Every structure is written in structure tokens, then in C-alpha cells.
């Protein structure tokens, strides 16, 4: 299939293009930044570029992963977020659904971050009684920054264009898969690799799984029509755990993984005392047929097998690469 991938020079985009090509697809990458998988150096906010990209290449599927996102909050203003994430998405959707367009499926990379309000984000500092159990039904959505607001607006544009044109569109609210250190982790005592491993319990996935989710969504879009899915490693927790997760999370983790303390101790790793939110990705499992291939249990098993690689740089730690 001829597929247009926006954001093809990015972390997810490069991984995704590679996988799509391995799967036998013809892929056209579009990104303002040149890269090994970028064929068109340009912006989704430029209608002429988008129109030519779709028409000249008889594009049948689009994965829209290109965006300004969290790291750019420090360097770009709100108008730029609106221009790229909202206006750019609208242009792409309009061109994809225009009369004569060959596009028959569309996948939009959204973010779990848009479900985090200012209140949820700061809850752990305010005597939270139970962790937030976050699924696709959560409402109202009150994103705390322009990144979340622009992504939520883009999600609405996806729904609106699907309603008007019937173009199959799948929205993936993806949890974190970035390899960099979290700039919000300053007050966390654990090392970066330790933090990332912990996060697989409730809010992280590998970039490989993120790419695979997009491929499954592309395949399934015509049967699905329109829907929104949280994509994150499957959590072992249930809503019944939410009180204990904020009281003392290590106890809950120990219940599900009795050997975790011993395996962690070999590296001097520890669990977070408090887990304040859990992303529930079971809808993706049920309706999209997608489950992340790496979860916390896999990481523990891997750590158990590969005992002694305490000093492996995080870029080489499998779940961060
Ligand atoms: N990294 C994460 O943990 C994470 C979590 C949730 C959602 N996401 C989403 O996943 C997608 C990819 O993120 P990533 O981590 O690979 O980020 P990235 O910054 O590595 O890649 C994003 C790419 O989008 C490109 N881009 C920027 N402006 C563009 C424009 N006007 N037109 C086309 N492309 C443009 C950038 O040049 C970059 O190559 C983004 O939509 C992001 O919001 C990322």
C-alpha cells in the first residue's frame, strides 16, 4: 500500500517507516527536517505540499505522527502549536477526504497527555486518596497545556471529518515512549533506566510497540470506522488497586511480581512509593486487537536473565531503544 507518514524524521516516524517498508509498503515520508526516511522536506501546514504528496503518490493510507510536542513547549509558542498540530491536521484531513482522493484510511498519533488536567498532574502533591484510573471514557478532558489542547482539537477534527466523509480514522492516544530523561523527574530519586522500567507498570511502552500499534491501526481502520484508543503497555493493576497505589505502591507491585524486589535490589533499583495514575489499554486489546509486546513482566524477566549489566547505558537498554 502507498502510505504517507508525517514526522518521518522523528523518533517514532523513523521506526515506523522502517517497519512499514519491511512489511512491503511503499512509504513516503514528510517532515520539515531532513532524515533518512524523509522523501518530502516540508510541513503538514503547507496545503500545496500536502496535496502534491497525496496526489502524486496515489496515497491510500496516512499516518499522521508529525507534530510539535512536549519538548517544544519550551521553544515554540502557542500559535506555532496551533499552526502545526491543528491547522496542519485539518489540511491533511481535508486533502485526504477531498473528492478524487485515493486515501482510504488515516491514523492519528495523539497522546495520553491530553487526558491529564492541571488537577490530575498536581494530585500527588495534594494528598491524593486513590490513583486515577484513566481509560477512553474519562471526561471532561481538560488538557493542561497547549500541546494537549492542540492534540485534543486535532482529535475532534478527525472525528468531524470522519462524520462528514466516512474516511476511516483511528486515533491512538499514545503513552510515553521517548528515550530522553524526563525533565519532570528532577525530584525522583531513581535513575533514568529505573524510572522507565517502573513506568511500564502504568504509563510507558517501547517505541517498537508504538510503531506496531500504528500498523495494526492502519490495517484495522476500515473495519473500525472511527475510534480512539489508549496505547500503553498492559498494566497488571486493576481499579481495585488504586487506593493502595497512592498509599504504598511497592506493596501492590510485590503482590503481582513477588520477585521484583530481589531482581531490582541487584541493581540498587527501587519502586516509586506512590503511583498516581494508571492508563488502561484494554480497549485497544479488545477492539483493535493490539497488545504491547513488552510489559513490566517482560522487563523483569529480562533483568533476571541478564544479571550483571548494571552499567549498560540507557540508550542500549532494550526497552529504551
Ligand atoms: N515521544 C513520546 O513519548 C510521545 C508520547 C505520546 C505521543 N507522542 C506523539 O508521537 C508523535 C511522534 O513523536 P516523537 O516522539 O517521534 O517526536 P519527534 O519530535 O522525534 O518527531 C516528531 C516529528 O514531527 C516533525 N514535525 C514537526 N513539525 C512538523 C510539520 N509542520 N509537518 C510535519 N512534521 C513535523 C518533527 O520534525 C519531527 O521529526 C507526535 O505526534 C507526538 O505528539 C509522542
Amino acid at each position: 500500500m502507498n502510505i504517507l507518514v508525517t514526522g518521518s524524521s522523528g523518533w517514532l516516524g523513523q521506526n515506523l517507516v522502517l517497519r512499514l517498508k519491511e512489511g512491503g509498503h511503499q512509504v513516503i515520508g514528510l517532515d520539515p527536517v531532513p532524515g533518512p526516511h524523509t522523501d518530502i522536506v516540508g510541513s503538514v501546514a503547507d496545503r500545496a505540499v500536502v496535496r502534491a504528496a497525496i496526489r502524486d503518490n496515489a496515497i491510500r493510507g496516512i499516518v499522521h505522527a508529525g507534530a510539535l510536542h512536549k519538548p517544544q513547549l519550551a521553544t515554540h509558542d502557542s500559535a506555532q502549536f496551533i499552526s502545526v498540530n491543528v491547522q496542519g491536521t485539518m489540511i491533511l484531513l481535508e486533502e485526504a477526504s477531498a473528492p478524487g482522493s485515493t486515501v482510504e484510511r488515516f491514523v492519528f498519533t495523539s497522546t495520553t497527555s491530553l487526558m491529564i488536567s492541571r488537577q490530575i498532574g498536581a494530585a500527588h502533591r495534594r494528598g491524593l486518596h486513590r490513583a486515577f484510573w484513566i481509560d477512553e471514557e474519562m471526561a471532561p478532558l481538560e488538557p493542561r497545556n497547549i500541546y494537549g489542547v492542540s492534540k485534543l482539537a486535532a482529535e475532534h477534527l478527525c472525528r468531524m471529518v470522519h462524520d462528514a466523509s466516512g474516511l476511516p480514522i483511528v486515533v491512538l492516544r499514545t503513552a510515553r515512549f521517548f528515550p530522553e530523561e524526563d525533565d519532570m523527574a528532577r525530584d525522583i530519586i531513581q535513575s533514568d533506566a529505573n524510572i522507565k522500567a517502573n513506568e511500564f507498570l502504568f504509563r510507558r511502552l517501547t517505541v517498537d510497540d508504538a510503531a506496531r500499534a500504528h500498523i495494526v491501526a492502519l490495517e484495522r481502520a476500515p473495519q473500525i470506522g472511527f475510534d480512539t484508543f489508549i496505547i500503553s503497555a498492559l498494566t497488571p493493576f486493576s481499579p481495585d488497586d488504586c487506593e493502595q497505589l497512592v498509599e504504598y505502591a511497592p506493596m501492590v507491585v510485590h503482590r503481582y511480581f513477588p520477585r521484583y524486589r530481589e531482581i531490582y535490589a541487584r541493581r540498587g533499583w527501587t519502586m516509586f512509593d506512590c503511583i498516581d495514575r494508571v492508563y488502561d489499554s484494554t480497549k485497544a486489546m479488545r477492539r483493535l486487537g493490539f497488545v504491547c509486546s513488552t510489559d513490566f513482566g517482560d522487563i523483569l524477566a529480562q533483568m533476571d536473565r541478564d544479571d550483571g549489566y548494571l552499567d549498560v547505558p540507557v540508550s542500549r537498554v532494550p526497552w529504551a531503544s
Side-chain angles (χ1 to χ4, degrees), residues 6-321:
T6 72
S8 49
S9 299
W11 175 233
L12 172 63
Q14 294 204 34
N15 200 293
L16 177 61
V17 173
L18 211 60
R19 277 179 172 267
L20 285 168
K21 285 180 178 169
E22 280 168 8
H25 297 288
Q26 305 296 316
V27 185
I28 301 294
L30 172 94
D31 199 301
V33 176
H37 299 295
T38 293
D39 307 278
I40 302 169
V41 176
S43 169
V44 287
D46 183 333
R47 188 178 291 277
V49 166
V50 170
R51 182 172 295 172
I54 293 175
R55 297 210 176 159
D56 296 353
N57 298 290
I59 295 296
R60 288 175 55 206
I62 296 181
V63 178
H64 181 27
L68 295 181
H69 67 126
K70 196 176 159 220
Q72 283 89 48
L73 284 171
T75 54
H76 290 62
D77 63 24
S78 300
Q80 289 167 300
F81 270 84
I82 298 295
S83 166
V84 174
N85 294 359
V86 183
Q87 178 82 354
T89 304
M90 189 69 234
I91 288 173
L92 208 51
L93 287 164
E94 281 175 347
E95 294 300 324
S97 61
S101 163
T102 45
V103 178
E104 61 192 35
R105 55 192 83 198
F106 191 107
V107 177
F108 175 57
T109 316
S110 189
T111 171
T112 47
S113 160
L114 64 76
M115 296 183 289
I116 305 305
S117 62
R118 190 168 290 276
Q119 191 209 356
I120 296 176
H124 63 287
R125 289 194 287 274
R126 289 207 197 121
L128 184 64
H129 297 300
R130 49 182 295 126
F132 291 93
W133 186 262
I134 300 179
D135 62 20
E136 295 82 353
E137 301 303 311
M138 200 179 87
L141 294 178
E142 296 171 340
R144 65 192 147 160
N145 56 34
I146 190 65
Y147 170 47
V149 168
S150 63
K151 283 284 190 177
L152 182 56
E155 284 194 5
H156 281 299
L157 295 176
C158 289
R159 180 192 44 76
M160 185 186 85
V161 167
H162 168 76
D163 288 347
S165 69
L167 177 66
I169 303 180
V170 176
V171 173
L172 300 181
R173 283 187 190 156
T174 309
R176 47 176 55 180
F177 54 83
F178 56 79
E180 302 87 11
E181 275 191 38
D182 185 355
D183 59 353
M184 303 298 280
R186 278 177 234 106
D187 50 348
I188 300 182
I189 53 166
Q190 288 88 355
S191 68
D192 183 50
N194 186 168
I195 291 172
K196 287 189 165 79
N198 292 358
E199 287 176 345
F200 272 84
L201 284 161
F202 61 104
R203 65 174 309 185
R204 179 172 276 277
L205 71 164
T206 64
V207 70
D208 293 330
D209 277 332
R212 278 200 320 112
H214 284 73
I215 293 171
V216 171
L218 261 185
E219 286 165 1
R220 296 269 297 129
Q223 288 90 55
I224 286 175
F226 179 86
D227 215 338
T228 302
F229 300 97
I230 290 175
I231 304 294
S232 189
L234 212 52
T235 181
F237 305 135
S238 83
D240 292 341
D241 296 320
C242 284
E243 273 176 35
Q244 283 192 333
L245 281 172
V246 293
E247 276 165 22
Y248 193 54
M251 194 170 63
V252 187
V253 179
H254 180 257
R255 215 169 42 236
Y256 289 101
F257 301 98
R259 291 193 56 231
Y260 104 84
R261 280 202 178 97
E262 169 207 333
I263 295 168
Y264 261 40
R266 289 184 215 147
R267 290 171 175 74
W269 283 14
T270 52
M271 186 47 59
F272 302 143
D273 283 345
C274 165
I275 289 178
D276 64 353
R277 74 190 69 166
V278 179
Y279 292 128
D280 175 359
S281 59
T282 51
K283 180 180 169 189
M285 180 167 67
R286 287 194 312 273
R287 187 157 148 71
L288 190 61
F290 175 79
V291 183
C292 287
S293 60
T294 304
D295 62 18
F296 184 75
D298 297 314
I299 288 167
L300 268 192
Q302 203 169 321
M303 288 170 70
D304 200 17
R305 282 195 305 272
D306 296 345
D307 195 15
Y309 76 158
L310 193 70
D311 295 325
V312 171
V314 75
S315 59
R316 282 182 47 220
V317 176
W319 57 91
S321 64

